[in-house]
Amino acid sequence: MIFVRPPSDLEPVAFDAIAGFGEDDLDAAFPVFRRSAERILEAAQEQRPACPPPPELIAAARAALEGSESGAAFFRRWFEPFRLAKRGFVTAYYEPEVEARRAPEPGFETPALSRPSDLVTLNDAPLSLASGEALTSARRLRDESLIPYPPRREIEEEGAATGSIPLAYVADPVELFLIQVQGSARLRFPDGTARALTYDGRNGWPYTSVGRLMIERGLMPEGAMSLEGLKAALRDMGVGPGQPGRRLMQKNRSYVFFRVDESKDRALGPIGGEGAALTPLRSIAVDRSIWCYGLPFWIAADVPWESEAPTHFARLMIAQDTGSAILGAARADLFFGSGARAGALAGRVRHEADFHVFLPKKDPSP
């Protein structure tokens, strides 16, 4: 069994050698770790399976739930910090809060779809294509054979998602596209009620960044790229069937499905790949083929997290999520929270960062 596959050039460091570590509120980070610890000890099913936790992390999780140490004492006792030699890169994400309708009506005609009945997730044995692509989901036929699931265009234009039903309707394909990129949403209806959507699988095709395509095609300068700018540019291009903005979005063949989530945990926040509710500015998405959920990371970068102007960000984060575009050891997506302000700031984050990973000790004795 493969537990964690860290890079070979990790450099051990002392906690006191990490700039800012002594100033962070580790008592605020500790409950976030404890939320992961509960999942680890329950061996709870993960929404998007990652490397399984090593025995040392399981022991640390048990200590977190049974002990009475402060956050600072706990992390110092149970973990060893290592600096990732290669400078990393961070982006950010958020939970959209958008207007929606339960039935289609003018101005709200784009459905958020449930998981299809014939969709099979292939985390351990991806479907390999002659093109060299590996699909992490597929369509299961009646004879139990597997074929590629239809890409975004066919799902949108031909209704190719078998047995999938609309959970709600949002304003346009751009709104749905951004909800799918973020992986969750809180929908608000005219009667004042709300409905939480949680990720429930994807069609398995590799993720393609539409923002990157726009930059490469000269449709938007890299320095001007932001979430609001991307949405506006796509709408200006036209997002009706066959229009340029819609065709550009369909270059991302990946398509995400949802479920309505009324669980107790979902009330605390959007649910990450681990299955735990995420905490703003403490939860991160990591590469699940390298890291396991629950690992603490120290991330330092100058990013626009307090306002549109970049300021220094340095704090302990817990790996509780993953994403198709989050690839590499020194790569993370910072969860910024919910709503329009979180989205406006998250959409501006594309910055280099310094990474430390805290690996669990084999011998936690003082």
Side-chain angles (χ1 to χ4, degrees):
M1 180 178 291
I2 297 175
F3 291 105
V4 180
R5 299 188 290 191
S8 59
D9 56 352
L10 293 180
E11 176 188 346
V13 298
F15 281 107
D16 294 336
I18 302 175
F21 184 75
E23 286 74 55
D24 190 23
D25 185 358
L26 298 181
D27 285 340
F30 192 32
V32 183
F33 177 80
R34 285 169 57 91
R35 194 172 289 173
S36 286
E38 291 175 352
R39 305 286 301 180
I40 290 170
L41 290 188
E42 292 171 0
Q45 182 177 0
E46 298 164 344
Q47 291 206 44
R48 301 191 71 185
C51 294
E56 295 84 359
L57 186 59
I58 295 174
R62 183 172 294 108
L65 297 178
E66 297 177 354
S68 58
E69 293 178 299
S70 68
F74 173 82
F75 288 115
R76 286 176 179 269
R77 179 179 178 187
W78 286 90
F79 292 91
E80 295 179 285
F82 293 83
R83 186 177 70 86
L84 276 68
K86 181 181 178 181
R87 196 141 200 254
F89 187 74
V90 294
T91 49
Y93 67 118
Y94 75 111
E95 178 187 35
E97 293 182 349
V98 301
E99 291 187 45
R101 301 292 186 268
R102 289 184 172 82
E105 63 179 61
F108 292 87
E109 299 171 332
T110 301
L113 296 178
S114 68
R115 183 186 177 100
S117 57
D118 58 355
L119 179 66
V120 179
T121 301
L122 306 172
N123 288 308
D124 297 327
L127 182 64
S128 297
L129 304 184
S131 64
E133 294 174 301
L135 307 188
T136 56
S137 298
R139 166 171 275 168
R140 188 184 298 281
L141 302 180
R142 291 183 178 180
D143 64 3
E144 298 299 312
S145 62
L146 299 175
I147 62 172
Y149 214 85
R152 174 177 295 275
R153 185 189 62 77
E154 293 178 29
I155 292 173
E156 291 182 342
E157 297 183 1
E158 301 174 17
T162 306
S164 185
I165 61 171
L167 301 173
Y169 294 83
V170 297
D172 62 15
V174 175
E175 205 72 78
L176 176 66
F177 190 87
L178 269 297
I179 292 173
Q180 291 178 318
V181 170
Q182 306 306 321
S184 65
R186 185 164 293 277
L187 306 181
R188 301 202 176 277
F189 300 96
D191 61 3
T193 60
R195 174 176 287 180
L197 295 185
T198 290
Y199 172 97
D200 199 23
R202 50 192 291 269
N203 63 347
W205 287 95
Y207 174 83
T208 298
S209 169
V210 171
R212 176 53 54 186
L213 289 179
M214 295 189 76
I215 292 170
E216 292 173 351
R217 296 182 181 189
L219 299 173
M220 181 178 290
E222 185 165 7
M225 178 58 69
S226 68
L227 179 64
E228 292 307 314
L230 174 65
K231 292 167 70 172
L234 288 169
R235 286 172 174 145
D236 287 345
M237 295 168 65
V239 294
Q243 292 187 310
R246 185 71 163 272
R247 285 288 183 244
L248 187 62
M249 286 188 289
Q250 289 172 346
K251 293 293 183 183
N252 177 29
R253 295 169 294 171
S254 176
Y255 193 95
V256 171
F257 302 98
F258 298 96
R259 59 184 170 87
V260 176
D261 192 341
E262 298 177 342
S263 66
K264 180 180 178 181
D265 285 347
R266 185 62 174 88
L268 300 174
I271 305 299
E274 182 182 29
L278 304 176
T279 302
L281 301 175
R282 288 293 179 184
S283 298
I284 57 172
V286 296
D287 188 335
R288 61 184 175 136
S289 71
I290 299 174
W291 306 114
C292 64
Y293 296 127
L295 281 178
F297 286 78
W298 181 265
I299 295 180
D302 293 328
V303 298
W305 65 290
E306 296 175 305
S307 68
E308 293 182 2
T311 54
H312 194 57
F313 178 95
R315 58 172 54 194
L316 189 66
M317 311 289 283
I318 308 299
Q320 295 181 315
D321 204 359
T322 191
S324 302
I326 311 304
L327 302 174
R331 177 74 174 90
D333 214 8
L334 316 177
F335 178 62
F336 267 28
S338 302
R341 175 171 170 76
L345 295 178
R348 295 176 177 273
V349 179
R350 293 183 59 84
H351 292 71
E352 291 187 344
D354 293 319
F355 279 67
H356 291 77
V357 60
F358 294 2
L359 297 180
K361 292 180 180 179
K362 295 186 181 297
D363 179 9
S365 301

